[in-house]
Amino acid sequence: MVTDEWEDQEEYYKVLQHADKAGDCTEFIQFMLEMICNALKEISETNSTINVVTNKEKIIALLRQAQRILAELKREGKILRHGANKNGYWEVIE
């Protein structure tokens, strides 16, 4: 399953803009998790070492991007972390 990176980028900005306007990051987080899931599926469907390395890099890039956005939403007071990293949860502030 190979996805068109430009299509993903366009959808990324669309979802990000919608989440920003709505003041709710749920849709964006779902999008990012779907992208990570798709990258994991690509890894499991291929036996090529090159593709595995590329997909690992994609997953790392997506995770870093998600971390930056979560940090920004936290600074803006749009989300709040409750509990420890291992068993806590995020609350969306409306």
Side-chain angles (χ1 to χ4, degrees), residues 24-69:
D24 181 2
C25 62
T26 304
E27 182 180 358
F28 177 76
I29 292 171
Q30 287 174 329
F31 173 79
M32 292 301 293
L33 290 173
E34 185 177 311
M35 295 301 296
I36 292 167
C37 182
N38 289 341
L40 289 170
K41 283 180 185 177
E42 285 182 30
I43 290 171
S44 69
E45 292 173 356
T46 184
N47 292 326
S48 170
T49 304
I50 294 170
N51 285 338
V52 170
V53 170
T54 301
N55 287 327
K56 283 181 182 178
E57 291 170 358
K58 279 183 181 180
I59 291 169
I60 290 170
L62 287 169
L63 288 171
R64 287 180 179 156
Q65 206 168 29
Q67 284 178 321
R68 284 193 302 270
I69 291 166

Side-chain angles (χ1 to χ4, degrees), residues 64-81:
R64 287 180 179 156
Q65 206 168 29
Q67 284 178 321
R68 284 193 302 270
I69 291 166
L70 286 171
E72 183 178 328
L73 291 169
K74 188 176 176 181
R75 278 192 309 274
E76 293 173 356
K78 293 182 179 179
I79 60 173
L80 181 62
R81 178 73 183 176

Side-chain angles (χ1 to χ4, degrees), residues 74 79-91 93:
K74 188 176 176 181
I79 60 173
L80 181 62
R81 178 73 183 176
H82 295 280
N85 287 339
K86 198 170 191 178
N87 61 359
Y89 64 95
W90 289 100
E91 176 186 0
I93 309 296

